[in-house]
Amino acid sequence: MNWKDNVRRVTPYVPGEQPKDKNIIKLNTNENPYPPCPGAEKVLNGFDADSLKKYPDPNVTMLRQALADYHGVSFSQVFVGVGSDDVLGTAFLTLFGGDKPVLFPDLTYSFYPVWAELYRIPFREIPLDESFHIRPDDYRIPSGGVIFPNPNAPTGIYENKENVRKILDQNRDVAVIVDEAYIDFAGEDASVLSLLPEYDNLLIVRTFSKSRSLAGARIAYAIGSEEMIDCMLAIRNSYNSYTMNSVSIAAGTASVEDDAYFRNTVKKICDTRERFTREAEKLGFTILPSSTNFVFAMPPEKCPAAELFRMAREKGIYFRYFSAKRAEPYLRITIGTDEEMDLVLAFFREVYQN
Amino acid sequence: MNWKDNVRRVTPYVPGEQPKDKNIIKLNTNENPYPPCPGAEKVLNGFDADSLKKYPDPNVTMLRQALADYHGVSFSQVFVGVGSDDVLGTAFLTLFGGDKPVLFPDLTYSFYPVWAELYRIPFREIPLDESFHIRPDDYRIPSGGVIFPNPNAPTGIYENKENVRKILDQNRDVAVIVDEAYIDFAGEDASVLSLLPEYDNLLIVRTFSKSRSLAGARIAYAIGSEEMIDCMLAIRNSYNSYTMNSVSIAAGTASVEDDAYFRNTVKKICDTRERFTREAEKLGFTILPSSTNFVFAMPPEKCPAAELFRMAREKGIYFRYFSAKRAEPYLRITIGTDEEMDLVLAFFREVYQN
């Protein structure tokens, strides 16, 4: 007998690289190329350091209220956490405690099976159709819950509200989590927030790491029925009462309050995405229709994904490559500034036009 | 069947109140009355807000290296987390995966049974002796692991290294976690860090929330054998790859680098503790010998703990009161500034000398 015999073993998620060299064109972890809003900067640099001697507000009142006002829901319908991995992990632990398998797509965010394994939750991966869409009818089976990102990652593909509604209607008896990390890039009224009043089993998860340029501050949130949020808070308070630090609470609140900056940044990224897509298609790339701040792009045969990934890396351009079966012909390319994407296109031309 | 049937239910930990009124003398959550070191303030207010658009360093290299250097251990022996609840919770999840009960004292930090319940870990609480000390011989039984704070909370009592060594020797086959949240207030060489090279099953947990005045930044860490830290990192990376935000990484590093400020603050608090203890004893209080930044104090019969707690609260003085069996005659009183403790003593004189 040895202490190691009691250790819980898992296959950990492997996050994208975080190189420290600032000259790298970093398009591998779907960060926003624009800085956080000026209000967040002001809050940060004017923050009263003395106040850090006290614990943060365990109820995160300021930020939750700002989010509730922004989305037109009540304070007690909002849960916040340290990045969407924290919020989603807590949701898994809280809501997926049944014996039946939890359902999610294959391909999707690769953290889902990791949490399931970690918390010993049975799961079943359901293949996407040939165009990488979710088939709602596939989710018409007894389950312990359902989770999927919308738009999906790493494909970038958006499912319309009627399809999400179908999945909800077929799963009234279990929790359904819609992971809307990228929804702000999917256009007006793309979110299923409007369905919340009809479904007390629906949880919507959002993050400040993409559209709000605050990946470094670790902020995300969930919106659901008061009863569902209550259950999540009970679990959260059972592992850590003070997860959100005081500086992030203040900076996050400032971000929610500056809607014009936020909308402008999102629009710039969507415009760049459309332009980049057109140009890359001209070079022979096949690009899935993206509703996110990245594209899932299949390079021309001349230099396929794995090879292009390595060549780009040598040039200081970082993409994300997944060796999973159906993902393997593609690269996931984050949308940076116009200047960055022009450099990427110039590199592509070098590879494919010579 | 309803989604609520799948919800994991727990009895959550109830943290101390966090009143927002700044006039309150807040001695209920063992915060430090002094501000963080000037270097931490400088880092915070000079922080490059633009950089928040990127994810933090998932390896928290800067802070882990500073801690490794500070304690004379290797980088790969250091684990950091979002407050000691995060570190301890991760340790429970990682190291206490066996079938036999995990052992911890009764009285102790009330989060231990909550994590055990949350992660479905069997546990057994072992009563402290009549002077609130741990009896090492009580831990000479088959178990799935051992955890205790040293000094203990809420008693403030310190166990000497020989007693900790006895517990370690009797439990070579399981993980033993020593929660040293308050060790900096226990004097030089009080830590069992010096025992680390002998025990690869020992994990030592520390926090920035007490002695380093950074409760609001949410920083804690663990030191153990490289193999043990590896196991914890695998679990950590399975629920959240980016827990420590960029600002806290920088501010925490600055704190580790300013040892003079740190030592001075700790000394001031210990001096105030000794003076407060003497004065309160003159008024008839029974105070357990404290090696922490709080005292566990039994008020005179004339106005017992529960009543004094309520009276103080009305005056804007917050203590912590635990209604658990053996804790019930005591109040836990955080050591504030000299000025704050003088106001507390003046209030005590009003109550007990009239």
Side-chain angles (χ1 to χ4, degrees):
Chain A
M1 178 75 188
N2 183 286
W3 64 269
K4 292 161 215 169
D5 300 335
N6 287 335
V7 167
R8 189 181 288 240
R9 305 282 178 184
V10 291
T11 317
Y13 172 78
V14 180
E17 289 175 276
Q18 296 294 0
K20 278 160 198 171
D21 180 349
K22 294 217 166 180
N23 295 317
I24 282 167
I25 301 182
K26 193 173 172 302
L27 306 175
N28 68 333
T29 55
N30 297 342
E31 288 145 336
N32 197 309
Y34 301 106
C37 72
E41 179 169 0
K42 213 170 134 188
V43 157
L44 176 63
N45 296 137
F47 197 85
D48 172 21
D50 270 27
S51 71
L52 288 179
K53 70 190 179 193
K54 300 286 187 211
Y55 281 99
D57 169 14
N59 295 317
V60 200
T61 311
M62 189 166 69
L63 178 56
R64 285 171 72 199
Q65 190 60 58
L67 287 166
D69 293 347
Y70 186 78
H71 290 299
V73 299
S74 78
F75 177 78
S76 42
Q77 288 186 270
V78 183
F79 175 94
V80 300
V82 178
S84 70
D85 290 343
D86 180 36
V87 175
L88 288 164
T90 305
F92 265 70
L93 189 58
T94 307
L95 303 172
F96 293 162
D99 298 325
K100 295 199 189 107
V102 166
L103 312 178
F104 47 82
D106 173 27
L107 228 39
T108 194
Y109 186 33
S110 45
F111 236 122
Y112 296 165
V114 179
W115 289 316
E117 195 193 348
L118 177 66
Y119 297 129
R120 298 172 182 171
I121 297 164
F123 64 94
R124 184 169 153 193
E125 295 170 281
I126 299 185
L128 296 167
D129 74 12
E130 64 292 336
S131 60
F132 293 100
H133 273 279
I134 291 171
R135 269 184 300 251
D137 282 349
D138 291 351
Y139 293 78
R140 194 194 294 275
I141 51 177
S143 81
V146 176
I147 179 166
F148 56 93
N150 197 27
N152 197 5
T155 62
I157 286 181
Y158 172 71
E159 300 299 336
N160 68 42
K161 262 193 240 188
E162 281 321 297
N163 277 348
V164 178
R165 185 190 281 282
K166 261 193 211 160
I167 294 174
L168 280 161
D169 283 337
Q170 291 162 9
N171 291 279
R172 291 306 307 249
D173 56 340
V174 294
V176 176
I177 304 175
V178 182
D179 177 357
E180 292 193 341
Y182 298 102
I183 198 75
D184 294 319
F185 303 103
E188 289 288 325
D189 200 35
S191 168
V192 289
L193 263 171
S194 59
L195 301 186
L196 260 184
E198 295 172 64
Y199 299 93
D200 69 346
N201 61 325
L202 168 61
L203 190 79
I204 297 168
V205 178
R206 300 278 190 95
T207 176
F208 282 52
S209 298
K210 315 294 180 186
S211 52
R212 293 194 177 276
S213 306
L214 282 168
R218 315 308 307 123
I219 311 171
Y221 60 106
I223 299 181
S225 63
E226 292 191 11
E227 201 171 355
M228 192 175 262
I229 297 302
D230 259 359
C231 296
M232 287 189 51
L233 287 171
I235 292 292
R236 141 62 45 83
N237 291 333
S238 304
Y239 67 78
N240 197 341
S241 334
Y242 305 105
T243 55
M244 178 70 56
N245 73 86
S246 307
V247 180
S248 293
I249 293 173
T253 306
S255 169
V256 177
E257 286 166 356
D258 192 346
D259 203 40
Y261 180 89
F262 165 73
R263 283 171 186 272
N264 184 42
T265 307
V266 166
K267 185 177 181 312
K268 279 200 284 188
I269 292 168
C270 292
D271 289 349
T272 306
R273 177 186 72 204
E274 296 315 309
R275 192 179 65 85
F276 175 78
T277 300
R278 281 193 308 272
E279 295 298 319
E281 282 173 345
K282 283 184 202 162
L283 294 167
F285 279 76
T286 304
I287 297 190
L288 300 190
S290 169
S291 298
T292 62
N293 69 335
F294 60 85
V295 291
F296 205 46
M298 190 196 297
E301 269 176 39
K302 183 182 172 189
C303 175
E307 201 182 327
L308 186 63
F309 171 76
R310 278 190 297 272
M311 286 176 63
R313 210 173 172 287
E314 276 167 28
K315 291 261 180 191
I317 304 176
Y318 281 50
F319 303 134
R320 191 82 198 265
Y321 177 67
F322 299 93
S323 57
K325 205 171 50 180
R326 291 181 68 191
E328 169 265 312
Y330 293 83
L331 288 179
R332 196 193 66 186
I333 302 174
T334 305
I335 301 301
T337 60
D338 275 315
E339 294 68 32
E340 288 172 321
M341 301 323 282
D342 281 344
L343 289 168
V344 171
L345 288 165
F347 163 68
F348 285 173
R349 285 188 196 106
E350 243 175 69
V351 175
Y352 296 102
Q353 289 188 333
N354 288 326
Chain B
M1 180 72 190
N2 184 286
W3 64 270
K4 291 163 217 168
D5 300 335
N6 287 336
V7 167
R8 188 180 288 240
R9 303 284 177 184
V10 292
T11 317
Y13 173 78
V14 180
E17 288 174 276
Q18 297 295 359
K20 276 159 199 171
D21 180 348
K22 293 218 165 178
N23 295 316
I24 282 167
I25 300 182
K26 195 172 168 306
L27 305 174
N28 67 331
T29 55
N30 297 342
E31 288 146 335
N32 197 308
Y34 301 106
C37 73
E41 179 169 0
K42 215 170 132 188
V43 157
L44 175 64
N45 295 137
F47 197 86
D48 172 20
D50 270 27
S51 71
L52 288 179
K53 69 191 178 193
K54 299 287 186 212
Y55 281 99
D57 169 14
N59 295 318
V60 199
T61 311
M62 188 166 71
L63 178 57
R64 284 172 72 199
Q65 191 58 59
L67 287 166
D69 294 345
Y70 186 78
H71 289 299
V73 298
S74 78
F75 177 78
S76 42
Q77 288 186 272
V78 183
F79 175 95
V80 300
V82 178
S84 69
D85 290 343
D86 181 35
V87 176
L88 289 164
T90 305
F92 265 71
L93 189 59
T94 307
L95 303 172
F96 293 161
D99 297 325
K100 294 197 188 113
V102 166
L103 312 178
F104 47 82
D106 174 25
L107 231 33
T108 194
Y109 187 34
S110 44
F111 236 122
Y112 296 166
V114 178
W115 288 316
E117 194 193 349
L118 178 65
Y119 297 129
R120 297 172 183 171
I121 297 164
F123 64 95
R124 183 169 153 192
E125 295 170 280
I126 299 186
L128 297 167
D129 73 11
E130 65 292 336
S131 60
F132 291 101
H133 272 279
I134 290 171
R135 270 183 301 248
D137 283 349
D138 291 350
Y139 292 78
R140 194 194 292 275
I141 52 177
S143 81
V146 176
I147 179 166
F148 55 93
N150 195 29
N152 197 6
T155 62
I157 285 180
Y158 172 71
E159 301 299 336
N160 68 42
K161 264 195 236 187
E162 282 321 297
N163 277 349
V164 178
R165 185 189 278 282
K166 261 192 212 163
I167 294 174
L168 280 161
D169 283 336
Q170 292 161 8
N171 291 279
R172 291 305 306 249
D173 57 340
V174 293
V176 176
I177 303 175
V178 183
D179 177 358
E180 292 193 340
Y182 298 102
I183 198 75
D184 294 318
F185 303 103
E188 289 288 325
D189 200 36
S191 170
V192 290
L193 264 171
S194 58
L195 301 185
L196 259 185
E198 296 173 63
Y199 300 93
D200 71 345
N201 60 326
L202 168 61
L203 189 80
I204 296 169
V205 178
R206 300 279 190 96
T207 178
F208 281 52
S209 299
K210 316 295 182 188
S211 52
R212 293 195 177 274
S213 307
L214 281 169
R218 314 310 304 122
I219 310 171
Y221 60 107
I223 298 181
S225 62
E226 292 191 12
E227 202 172 355
M228 193 174 260
I229 298 301
D230 260 356
C231 296
M232 287 187 55
L233 286 171
I235 293 291
R236 140 63 44 82
N237 291 333
S238 303
Y239 67 78
N240 197 342
S241 336
Y242 304 106
T243 55
M244 178 73 53
N245 72 88
S246 308
V247 180
S248 293
I249 293 174
T253 306
S255 169
V256 177
E257 286 165 356
D258 192 344
D259 204 41
Y261 180 89
F262 166 73
R263 284 172 186 272
N264 183 42
T265 307
V266 166
K267 184 176 182 311
K268 278 200 284 188
I269 292 168
C270 292
D271 289 349
T272 306
R273 177 186 72 204
E274 297 315 309
R275 193 178 66 83
F276 175 79
T277 299
R278 282 194 306 273
E279 294 298 318
E281 281 173 345
K282 283 185 202 159
L283 294 167
F285 278 76
T286 303
I287 296 189
L288 299 190
S290 168
S291 297
T292 62
N293 71 335
F294 60 84
V295 291
F296 206 46
M298 189 196 299
E301 269 177 41
K302 182 182 171 191
C303 176
E307 201 182 328
L308 186 63
F309 171 77
R310 277 189 298 272
M311 284 175 64
R313 210 171 173 289
E314 275 168 29
K315 292 261 179 192
I317 304 176
Y318 281 50
F319 303 134
R320 191 81 197 266
Y321 177 67
F322 298 92
S323 57
K325 205 171 52 184
R326 289 181 68 191
E328 168 266 314
Y330 293 83
L331 287 179
R332 196 192 69 186
I333 301 174
T334 305
I335 300 301
T337 60
D338 275 317
E339 295 67 32
E340 288 173 322
M341 301 322 282
D342 282 343
L343 289 169
V344 171
L345 288 166
F347 163 68
F348 285 173
R349 283 186 197 107
E350 246 175 65
V351 175
Y352 295 103
Q353 290 187 332
N354 288 323

